[in-house]
């Protein structure tokens, strides 16, 4: 694949495109702009909700962002949600009831559109007083479709909690995580960054074999499999989780060493 060139560049944000200080390296921006000038679009694929995309929009500008682990498509230029794949209320109710029964110390929050709602006892780590963020009862949160259900536990380890959620959720929805905390992200069944990127590719008339995708956390693994099986390049950052490294076709430098820029430069 020494002469292989992408027709689409896609990247996760935290731990991948962004340095630890949440900036994008000048070298990375130069590569994105250079490939863009050659007609190769750049797409973000992140677990972040749309409301967390304001800062990166100021850096990247226009384009598509696959948010909420594939559940939401965001037009960065217009800053409008163009499509959502949601979890139905009856599924939300079954999952939350099951988790609360199995582990009463589980607390919930939901993402939809540009909004975030959380139980009063749920402890958000970011955007505590930001616009669109408010408290709600669990009954209120599970009464309408949402893009993402978040479940958090303050006492269990990350591994214990993920195993618990996997067992309770089963085949009702898609479970993933992108945090070092006991925080689990739950999307509609079958929804992942892979499905979001597949939708983008379908609109552009390209395949997974045309894609280079960069990632670092378990919520990138499905997209890695999709890209790899299609013949594209699934590139793990040097700081990536072991599951991501195992699924990768290539490994680049860490996010703080501008690994995205280093790999893109090697393809030119």
């Amino acid at each position: 694949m020494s002469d292989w060139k992408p027709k689409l560049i896609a990247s996760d944000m935290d731990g991948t495109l962004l340095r630890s200080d949440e900036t994008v390296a000048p070298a990375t921006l130069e590569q994105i702009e250079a490939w863009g000038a050659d007609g190769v679009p750049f797409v973000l694929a992140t677990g972040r909700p749309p409301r967390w995309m304001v800062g990166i929009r100021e850096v990247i500008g226009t384009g598509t962002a696959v948010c909420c682990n594939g559940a939401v498509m965001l037009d960065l230029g217009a800053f409008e949600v163009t499509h959502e794949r949601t979890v139905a209320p009856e599924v939300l109710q079954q999952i939350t009831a099951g988790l609360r029964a199995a582990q009463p110390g589980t607390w919930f929050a939901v993402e939809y559109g540009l909004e975030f709602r959380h139980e009063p006892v749920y402890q958000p780590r970011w955007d505590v007083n930001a616009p669109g963020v408010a408290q709600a009862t669990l009954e209120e949160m599970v009464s309408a479709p949402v893009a993402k259900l978040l479940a958090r536990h303050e006492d269990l380890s990350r591994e214990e909690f993920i195993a618990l959620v996997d067992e309770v959720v089963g085949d009702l929805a898609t479970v993933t995580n992108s945090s070092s905390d006991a925080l689990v992200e739950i999307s509609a069944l079958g929804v992942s960054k892979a499905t979001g990127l597949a939708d983008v590719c379908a609109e552009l008339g390209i395949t997974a074999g045309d894609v280079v995708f960069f990632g670092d956390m378990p919520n990138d693994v499905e997209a890695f499999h999709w890209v790899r099986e299609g013949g594209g390049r699934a590139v793990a950052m040097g700081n990536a989780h072991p599951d991501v490294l195992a699924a990768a076709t290539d490994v680049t430098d860490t996010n703080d060493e501008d690994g995205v820029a280093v790999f893109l430069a090697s393809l030119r």
Side-chain angles (χ1 to χ4, degrees), residues 43-89:
V43 173
L44 294 165
T46 177
R48 289 190 181 204
R51 61 195 175 84
W52 283 5
M53 303 301 287
V54 174
I56 196 67
R57 177 177 181 249
E58 295 172 355
V59 176
I60 300 296
T62 60
T64 299
V66 177
C67 299
C68 291
N69 294 320
V72 179
M73 292 291 189
L74 178 70
D75 180 329
L76 281 174
F79 209 73
E80 292 180 352
V81 172
T82 59
H83 182 66
E84 268 189 317
R85 296 188 182 194
T86 56
V87 187

Side-chain angles (χ1 to χ4, degrees), residues 16-33:
T16 302
L17 184 76
L18 302 182
R19 291 169 162 176
S20 295
D21 63 3
E22 297 200 357
T23 62
V24 182
T28 303
L29 288 174
E30 288 173 8
Q31 285 296 321
I32 292 170
E33 290 170 1

Side-chain angles (χ1 to χ4, degrees), residues 227-248:
V227 170
R228 182 172 188 161
E229 291 167 7
R233 308 289 284 270
V235 186
M237 307 304 291
N239 49 287
H241 186 281
D243 291 350
V244 177
L245 291 168

Side-chain angles (χ1 to χ4, degrees), residues 57-239:
R57 177 177 181 249
E58 295 172 355
V59 176
I60 300 296
T62 60
T64 299
V66 177
C67 299
C68 291
N69 294 320
V72 179
M73 292 291 189
L74 178 70
D75 180 329
L76 281 174
F79 209 73
E80 292 180 352
V81 172
T82 59
H83 182 66
E84 268 189 317
R85 296 188 182 194
T86 56
V87 187
E90 57 270 24
V91 176
L92 294 171
Q93 292 157 16
Q94 187 172 347
I95 291 172
T96 54
L99 287 173
R100 185 63 56 80
Q103 187 54 249
T106 304
W107 309 111
F108 300 101
V110 294
E111 298 274 6
Y112 58 95
L114 298 175
E115 303 295 318
F116 178 75
R117 298 290 182 270
H118 64 91
E119 291 185 279
V121 73
Y122 181 101
Q123 298 178 26
R125 301 299 197 260
W126 310 276
D127 289 354
V128 178
N129 298 310
V133 177
Q135 295 184 3
T137 67
L138 180 57
E139 183 179 11
E140 290 169 334
M141 290 191 297
V142 300
S143 64
V146 301
K148 183 164 68 172
L149 171 69
L150 297 104
R152 180 186 287 283
H153 202 287
E154 298 294 343
D155 299 319
L156 294 180
S157 71
R158 172 181 175 273
E159 291 73 19
E160 287 176 306
F161 191 53
I162 292 171
L164 170 70
V165 176
D166 275 332
E167 182 178 354
V168 171
V169 173
D171 60 1
L172 290 172
T174 299
V175 174
T176 190
N177 72 289
S178 57
S179 170
S180 58
D181 298 335
L183 174 66
V184 175
E185 302 160 65
I186 302 168
S187 305
L189 186 63
V191 171
S192 69
K193 290 186 183 182
T195 59
L197 288 173
D199 287 344
V200 174
C201 286
E203 291 182 4
L204 295 174
I206 62 177
T207 69
D210 300 315
V211 176
V212 57
F213 175 60
F214 298 89
D216 74 306
M217 288 296 281
N219 63 332
D220 296 313
V221 169
E222 288 298 323
F224 267 44
H225 289 316
W226 175 74
V227 170
R228 182 172 188 161
E229 291 167 7
R233 308 289 284 270
V235 186
M237 307 304 291
N239 49 287

